[in-house]
Amino acid sequence: EAVRKAKSNIQQQSRAALSHEQTTVPYSEEYLTKLLCGNTKRNGSITLVFHDWSSDGYILSGKRIDNDGWTIITEGHANYYGMAWWKDKYMTDDVDMQVLLTSEFAFAERTFAGECMAQQLND
C-alpha cells in the first residue's frame, strides 16, 4: 500500500508540474544521506544512477550504505522536478528488511531530504 501511494504521489506531482520546464539534470553519483526512519535518524551514503525513462522522469538504480549495512535498489522512480521514491533491500546477512524511501532532490545542489519506512521480510 505504501509503495502504491508513493508512486501515485510522484505521478500526480509530475502531471501538476508539466507546465514547468526542467532546468537541471540529475547526476548519477554518490550522495550523502540523512534519512528519517520513524524516529531514528540514519546517516550514510547512496550511489544512484538515473536512467532516462520517459516524459515522466527517471528509473533509479543503485546501492545504499547505512548503520545497518548495505542495500540494493530493487525499484524506483524520480520525476524531472526532484520528487522520488525507491525500494531497497538489505543485502547484509543479519538484516532481513526492505525499505521504502521517499525524497525530494535538489538536483542543482546534489542533495536530497528523505523519509523511509522499513518492513521486516518473512523467511
Side-chain angles (χ1 to χ4, degrees):
E1 176 66 15
V3 173
R4 188 192 60 74
K5 282 184 179 180
K7 287 181 182 180
S8 178
N9 286 343
I10 300 302
Q11 288 172 344
Q12 288 175 6
Q13 291 165 356
S14 291
R15 286 188 209 109
L18 283 177
S19 62
H20 298 90
E21 187 175 323
Q22 176 193 4
T23 57
T24 305
V25 176
Y27 295 90
S28 293
E29 65 182 5
E30 185 175 7
Y31 292 79
L32 294 179
T33 61
K34 291 187 179 181
L35 299 170
L36 183 60
C37 297
N39 293 329
T40 304
K41 293 180 182 177
R42 295 196 171 300
N43 295 324
S45 65
I46 187 166
T47 301
L48 289 174
V49 179
F50 294 86
H51 305 273
D52 206 8
W53 178 43
S54 69
S55 60
D56 288 339
Y58 306 94
I59 291 177
L60 297 176
S61 65
K63 60 185 177 181
R64 182 170 62 89
I65 299 172
D66 70 12
N67 313 39
D68 289 325
W70 66 281
T71 69
I72 295 288
I73 294 175
T74 60
E75 183 181 7
H77 179 260
N79 67 21
Y80 288 123
Y81 309 99
M83 301 304 296
W85 68 270
W86 67 87
K87 290 190 321 184
D88 58 23
K89 181 183 181 316
Y90 278 94
M91 303 308 288
T92 309
D93 290 338
D94 60 338
V95 181
D96 195 19
M97 200 174 348
Q98 179 172 282
V99 180
L100 171 67
L101 294 106
T102 54
S103 64
E104 184 169 353
F105 283 90
F107 290 141
E109 291 80 25
R110 302 181 190 185
T111 62
F112 72 90
E115 294 183 7
C116 63
M117 181 185 331
Q119 175 184 352
Q120 195 73 28
L121 296 175
N122 297 326
D123 291 335

